[in-house]
C-alpha cells in the first residue's frame, strides 16, 4: 500500500471523476488503524463521540479537549487516510476569532488535516476566516445535531419548499465560503441529489441517499455496537454487540470455573528458584 495521504484535491477530484468517497467515524487509535489499512478515504473524528463513546444524550457537552484527546489518538493510527475533526458546539459560533483559534488548535494539536462545522448562512464568516487561515473545512447541513433543540428532534430536514430552498442556498454559500466538501445528514434522497448536482464540491451523505458523492456512517452504528438509538439510515454491516456479549459471558464463565487462564496463557519459573523463596 502506498503511503500517500488523501488530500483535499484528491477528494475534490473524486467528484469530477465520479468515484464515490468513503468516510467513517473513529474515536481511537485501534479503529483508525483499521480504517486506514482498509483505505477508507476520510476518517471523521465526529462529535458523535459524545453519544457513542462518552455516553451523553447529545453532542452538546463535547469539549475542545475531548476532540483533541480523541483526534490525537486517531491521527496516531493513520498514514494514508485524511482525518477530519469536528469542531465541537460553541467552539466556532461565538466569534470568528475564536473559530479560527479553535480550528487552528484542532489541526496543530491533533495532526488532523481538516475540520468540520455545522450550519449554513449563520457560520459563513467563521468558515471564510478558517479557510483564509489555511485550514481545510468540511461543511455539514441538514440534520445538524448541535442544533438539536432548535430543530426539535432527530427529523428529516428540507421536506418543504422553504426549508429545501434554504438547504440549497446554504450549500451554495458554504461552497462560496471555501468548504471542500459538505456532509448532508437526514435529507430526502432527491433533494440531496439536487444539491450534489448544484454544487462544485463533493457531498457526503448520511441518510441522504445514493445520489451523494460519498457516504459516511458512525462506526459504532455500522458495527451494531450502539443500541441506544438506531436511525433508519443506518445499515448494520455487523452485529458486534451480540458477539462481544457472548465473549464476555464466556470469559466470565471460564474465570468462575478456573478454566481460564489455561497452561498456554501462563509463564513458568524454575523449581530451584521457587525453592529458594522464603
Ligand atoms: O459527529 C458525527 O459523527 C457526524 C456524522 C454523523 C456526519 O457529524
Amino acid at each position: 500500500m502506498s503511503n500517500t495521504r488523501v488530500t483535499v484535491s484528491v477528494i475534490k477530484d473524486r467528484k469530477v471523476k465520479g468515484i464515490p468517497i468513503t468516510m467513517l467515524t473513529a474515536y481511537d487509535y485501534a479503529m483508525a488503524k483499521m480504517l486506514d489499512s482498509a483505505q477508507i478515504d476520510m476518517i471523521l473524528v465526529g462529535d458523535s463521540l459524545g453519544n457513542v463513546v462518552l455516553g451523553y444524550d447529545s453532542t452538546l457537552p463535547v469539549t475542545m479537549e475531548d476532540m483533541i484527546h480523541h483526534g490525537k489518538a486517531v491521527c496516531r493510527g493513520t498514514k494514508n487516510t485524511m482525518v477530519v475533526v469536528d469542531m465541537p458546539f460553541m467552539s466556532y459560533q461565538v466569534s470568528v476569532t475564536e473559530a479560527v483559534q479553535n480550528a487552528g488548535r484542532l489541526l496543530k494539536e491533533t495532526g488532523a488535516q481538516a475540520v468540520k462545522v455545522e450550519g449554513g448562512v449563520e457560520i459563513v464568516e467563521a468558515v471564510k476566516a478558517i479557510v483564509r487561515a489555511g485550514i481545510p473545512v468540511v461543511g455539514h447541513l441538514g440534520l445538524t445535531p448541535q442544533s438539536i433543540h432548535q430543530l426539535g428532534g432527530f427529523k428529516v430536514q428540507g421536506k418543504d419548499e422553504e426549508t429545501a430552498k434554504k438547504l440549497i442556498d446554504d450549500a451554495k454559500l458554504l461552497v462560496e465560503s471555501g468548504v471542500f466538501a459538505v456532509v448532508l445528514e437526514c435529507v430526502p434522497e432527491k433533494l440531496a441529489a439536487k444539491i450534489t448536482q448544484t454544487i462544485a464540491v463533493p457531498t457526503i451523505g448520511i441518510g441522504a441517499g445514493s445520489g451523494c458523492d460519498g457516504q459516511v456512517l458512525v462506526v459504532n452504528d455500522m458495527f451494531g455496537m450502539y443500541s441506544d438509538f438506531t436511525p433508519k439510515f443506518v445499515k448494520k454491516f455487523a452485529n458486534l454487540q451480540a458477539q462481544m456479549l457472548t465473549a464476555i459471558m464466556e470469559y466470565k464463565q471460564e474465570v468462575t470455573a478456573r478454566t481460564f487462564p489455561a497452561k498456554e496463557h501462563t509463564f513458568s519459573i524454575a523449581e530451584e528458584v521457587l525453592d529458594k523463596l522464603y
Side-chain angles (χ1 to χ4, degrees):
M1 193 202 307
S2 66
N3 251 16
T4 322
R5 179 86 66 181
V6 173
T7 59
V8 166
S9 54
V10 167
I11 294 302
K12 284 171 129 178
D13 199 43
R14 289 292 183 82
K15 185 178 181 100
V16 178
K17 294 193 172 129
I19 304 169
I21 298 158
T22 54
M23 185 190 225
L24 284 170
T25 67
Y27 316 96
D28 62 32
Y29 170 78
M31 183 59 66
K33 219 173 154 186
M34 219 180 323
L35 301 185
D36 191 77
S37 74
Q39 294 183 295
I40 290 295
D41 298 313
M42 301 168 90
I43 291 179
L44 173 66
V45 187
D47 60 356
S48 49
L49 166 78
N51 303 97
V52 300
V53 176
L54 302 179
Y56 298 128
D57 62 4
S58 78
T59 59
L60 305 193
V62 176
T63 64
M64 279 290 293
E65 276 58 42
D66 292 332
M67 295 312 298
I68 288 168
H69 183 69
H70 289 269
K72 276 178 168 172
V74 165
C75 287
R76 285 193 287 266
T78 67
K79 287 194 184 84
N80 304 297
T81 303
M82 173 191 281
V83 179
V84 182
V85 179
D86 256 343
M87 295 197 70
F89 182 55
M90 283 299 123
S91 68
Y92 56 99
Q93 293 92 339
V94 178
S95 76
V96 167
T97 309
E98 259 187 55
V100 177
Q101 274 165 352
N102 284 326
R105 273 193 75 195
L106 288 175
L107 253 64
K108 278 172 84 135
E109 296 181 36
T110 67
Q113 287 77 49
V115 298
K116 177 167 81 56
V117 287
E118 295 182 8
V121 60
E122 319 78 21
I123 59 151
V124 290
E125 291 313 317
V127 171
K128 282 181 194 165
I130 298 170
V131 173
R132 257 198 315 273
I135 299 169
V137 179
V138 176
H140 183 159
L141 293 172
L143 174 55
T144 45
Q146 291 178 13
S147 310
I148 197 65
H149 299 306
Q150 204 168 43
L151 298 176
F154 289 89
K155 301 179 195 156
V156 181
Q157 301 296 306
K159 293 267 279 184
D160 57 54
E161 191 181 333
E162 188 190 346
T163 55
K165 274 188 177 152
K166 177 164 164 45
L167 275 179
I168 297 172
D169 291 344
D170 278 346
K172 286 182 184 165
L173 276 174
L174 284 177
V175 176
E176 279 163 28
S177 308
V179 301
F180 72 95
V182 179
V183 168
L184 295 176
E185 180 167 356
C186 240
V187 173
E189 182 173 28
K190 286 188 177 164
L191 176 59
K194 199 173 186 60
I195 295 171
T196 302
Q197 285 150 21
T198 306
I199 63 176
V201 305
T203 58
I204 303 176
I206 173 161
S210 61
C212 295
D213 298 302
Q215 298 294 325
V216 57
L217 278 179
V218 169
V219 277
N220 301 59
D221 287 337
M222 67 159 280
F223 287 150
M225 282 173 62
Y226 181 71
S227 52
D228 289 8
F229 171 64
T230 307
K232 177 186 171 185
F233 56 74
V234 167
K235 175 172 174 180
K236 290 188 181 174
F237 286 81
N239 192 355
L240 296 193
Q241 195 162 45
Q243 283 184 40
M244 287 163 91
L245 201 56
T246 304
I248 293 164
M249 296 313 289
E250 256 175 56
Y251 167 80
K252 184 180 171 187
Q253 191 276 324
E254 289 191 20
V255 169
T256 312
R258 295 191 188 280
T259 54
F260 174 82
K263 206 83 195 133
E264 65 267 30
H265 307 120
T266 58
F267 304 97
S268 61
I269 183 172
E271 284 302 319
E272 59 264 35
V273 176
L274 265 186
D275 289 345
K276 287 183 189 146
L277 304 176
Y278 304 104

